[in-house]
Amino acid sequence: MTSPWTFDSVLVANRGEIARRVIRTVQRLGLKAVAVYSEADASLPFVTEADEGVLLGAAAPAQSYLDVAKVLEAAEQSGAQAIHPGYGFLSENAHFARAVADAGLVWIGPSPQAIVAMGDKVAARNLVGDAGVPVAPGTREPVADVQAALVAARSVGYPLMVKAAGGGGGIGMSVARDEEELATAFATAQSRAERFFGNPSILLERYVTSARHVEVQILGLSGGRVVALGERDCSVQRRHQKVAEETPCPVLTPPLRARMIEAAVRAGEAVGYRGAGTVEFLLDPASLASGGEFYFLEMNARLQVEHPITELVTGIDLVEQQLLAASDLPATFDPDAVVPSGHAIELRVYAEDPKRFLPSPGTISHWVEPAGPGVRVDAGYAQGDTVTPYYDPLLAKLCVHGPDRPAALELARAAVASFEIEGLKTNLPFFTELLANEEFIAGVYDTGLIDRMRAPKPGVST
């Protein structure tokens, strides 16, 4: 029988839990899964579970997971015909996407043109704004220096978000409430943008105080249609980086949700999006009483860390849909009949100090995952594995799915209590705190929640 796929083997250009998760779907579909790994990761589960593994090089990302030539050599050596980049590393690198295509391989992701368009935050703002997507007041061109920033700020208005035009993950991002703070924030953001992304360009945007971070999962299907699979609330953040997510967003009304989903689809259509992507918005909670106002934040041209909770409420395997779109095959669901069911929560379990959120590498001496109906764990490690300081310290994503939000919260509490990890520090104690927090339980939190949780209590010395 002739296979409908345009490839029969997929190289997963990533590591840890996301590599393991992609490998699982690739193998379920009857395709060969090839892992690439660094010397530091040689014994991790994603390597041993793949059909084949290829060593890239030393532990440092620049000598392994970020080395385009080595990844392409690994594809040639293994006979892989397609490359899935996961998230992070090379996933939003247009040069890599082009190199994959130039090598005669299938790129499982959006086009290089879409990656470029969405990778530059200034260009992305202008593109989606011109397509009718709400954007916050901000600069239409990158700001060259502090003096230009001070001039631009007078028309945009304070408070301002100062952020790297070509970055992501909260890196190179800070808030300025006046000219003095802007001068300091600009210098810091520009330095970090240059160091992490090789691009010193800076964007200024009006800062929404006490905002909620809400994103919409989109899929660009093989026929060119862009569909939305619901939203996720990602407002529980530390240092602008997500820690917990849930779907649906507890405060969205049906009309507001419809507007947000329509805007996300419009953004995807504006760039001719294909595959899985996420359109992120800032929602102003103060506007909810009058219908709700939201603004485009950015578009992630890849699979998101938090994609499992969308899978839990829709029953749709997003990695499978990525593979289908890349192979010019139709989706396995009816785009007009997607109705999310129940409530799902994801907690990102890190090897880090639960108070200060600083990385805590070490060897895992004991590991027992929670299990049972409604519980899903996407883990990158197991008992006996060592968490090194070379990469993001994400250990696992603990996800739960219940018939409603109260049920999901109860499941999450039980799952956190039964997740046993010893040998290094983890942020599991923080999640016990979070799930007992009155703001979070009520669903009325915003991106400042963790800062408030960690603020010194009156009369208590620190």
Side-chain angles (χ1 to χ4, degrees), residues 372-392:
V375 178
R376 168 177 167 175
V377 180
D378 283 18
Y381 296 86
Q383 188 165 303
D385 292 334
T386 297
V387 180
T388 68
Y390 300 107
Y391 317 110
D392 184 273

Side-chain angles (χ1 to χ4, degrees), residues 17-18 21 87 215 217 232 303-312 316 318-319 346 376 378 397:
E17 60 83 19
I18 188 57
R21 185 265 169 277
Y87 57 73
E215 64 187 24
Q217 176 69 58
R232 299 182 288 254
L303 194 67
Q304 285 281 71
V305 177
E306 56 273 18
H307 76 275
I309 55 175
T310 295
E311 295 184 327
L312 288 173
I316 296 170
L318 290 173
V319 173
E346 174 180 288
R376 168 177 167 175
D378 283 18
K397 299 181 308 198

Side-chain angles (χ1 to χ4, degrees), residues 350-354 356-364 386-389 391-395 421-427:
Y350 286 98
E352 66 181 15
D353 181 291
R356 297 179 299 158
F357 304 117
L358 296 176
S360 176
T363 298
I364 301 168
T386 297
V387 180
T388 68
Y391 317 110
D392 184 273
L394 179 65
L395 296 174
I421 305 175
E422 297 175 8
L424 38 66
K425 292 180 180 179
T426 76
N427 63 341

Side-chain angles (χ1 to χ4, degrees), residues 39 81 90 170 216 232 253 272 277 285 292 303 330 376 405 432 435 438:
E39 292 173 353
Q81 297 170 322
L90 295 169
V216 176
R232 299 182 288 254
T253 61
L303 194 67
R376 168 177 167 175
R405 191 169 188 267
T432 300
L435 294 165
E438 291 182 2

Side-chain angles (χ1 to χ4, degrees), residues 112-457:
Q113 294 83 359
I115 295 174
V116 169
M118 290 297 124
D120 185 315
K121 289 183 171 59
V122 177
R125 262 178 55 89
N126 296 341
L127 178 66
V128 302
D130 292 343
V133 177
V135 296
T139 52
R140 283 190 64 89
E141 300 293 335
V143 183
D145 53 39
V146 172
Q147 287 306 314
L150 291 170
V151 171
R154 292 175 196 140
S155 59
V156 176
Y158 292 95
L160 283 169
M161 177 62 79
V162 184
K163 57 187 181 181
I171 297 171
M173 184 182 295
S174 56
V175 178
R177 293 173 177 80
D178 54 37
E179 289 192 351
E180 184 177 350
E181 287 190 358
L182 177 56
T184 302
F186 187 91
T188 301
Q190 192 166 58
S191 172
R192 299 194 77 198
E194 176 68 48
R195 185 163 79 251
F196 285 95
F197 309 118
N199 179 0
S201 298
I202 296 297
L203 162 68
L204 300 183
E205 198 169 70
R206 179 79 60 78
Y207 177 64
V208 180
T209 306
S210 302
R212 291 188 81 121
H213 186 153
V214 183
E215 64 187 24
V216 176
Q217 176 69 58
I218 63 169
L219 270 177
L221 306 180
S222 61
R225 180 177 176 183
V226 176
V227 298
L229 301 180
E231 85 285 352
R232 299 182 288 254
D233 192 310
C234 308
S235 303
V236 182
Q237 303 180 4
R238 44 109 167 98
R239 295 188 290 274
H240 302 295
Q241 294 181 315
K242 303 166 188 172
V243 179
E245 303 90 5
E246 63 178 312
T247 182
C249 171
V251 298
L252 290 195
T253 61
L256 178 55
R257 176 174 292 110
R259 285 167 47 213
M260 193 173 282
I261 284 176
E262 180 188 7
V265 170
R266 198 177 297 141
E269 290 172 343
V271 74
Y273 201 81
R274 180 171 171 143
T278 307
V279 183
E280 308 203 6
F281 299 103
L282 287 180
L283 171 66
D284 183 359
S287 70
L288 289 172
S290 57
E293 296 298 327
F294 60 90
Y295 305 102
F296 174 81
L297 177 63
E298 65 182 359
M299 182 171 176
N300 294 123
R302 55 171 168 78
L303 194 67
Q304 285 281 71
V305 177
E306 56 273 18
H307 76 275
I309 55 175
T310 295
E311 295 184 327
L312 288 173
V313 298
T314 63
I316 296 170
D317 184 326
L318 290 173
V319 173
E320 178 180 4
Q321 304 312 313
Q322 287 184 294
L323 297 169
L324 289 166
S327 203
D328 262 333
L329 294 172
T332 54
F333 64 94
D334 182 349
D336 296 311
V338 178
V339 181
S341 173
H343 199 95
I345 298 171
E346 174 180 288
L347 307 174
R348 302 189 188 189
V349 182
Y350 286 98
E352 66 181 15
D353 181 291
K355 292 290 185 183
R356 297 179 299 158
F357 304 117
L358 296 176
S360 176
T363 298
I364 301 168
S365 60
H366 179 71
W367 177 285
V368 177
E369 297 175 8
V375 178
R376 168 177 167 175
V377 180
D378 283 18
Y381 296 86
Q383 188 165 303
D385 292 334
T386 297
V387 180
T388 68
Y390 300 107
Y391 317 110
D392 184 273
L394 179 65
L395 296 174
K397 299 181 308 198
L398 172 55
C399 305
V400 297
H401 179 217
D404 52 32
R405 191 169 188 267
L409 288 170
E410 280 302 310
L411 269 174
R413 293 185 187 103
V416 168
S418 62
F419 204 156
E420 301 175 15
I421 305 175
E422 297 175 8
L424 38 66
K425 292 180 180 179
T426 76
N427 63 341
L428 283 169
F430 165 75
F431 290 125
T432 300
E433 271 187 82
L434 176 70
L435 294 165
N437 179 272
E438 291 182 2
E439 286 183 64
F440 188 75
I441 292 171
V444 294
Y445 59 94
D446 56 46
T447 54
L449 175 61
I450 291 181
D451 289 340
R452 291 191 292 276
M453 291 174 66
R454 289 290 175 263
K457 302 296 186 291

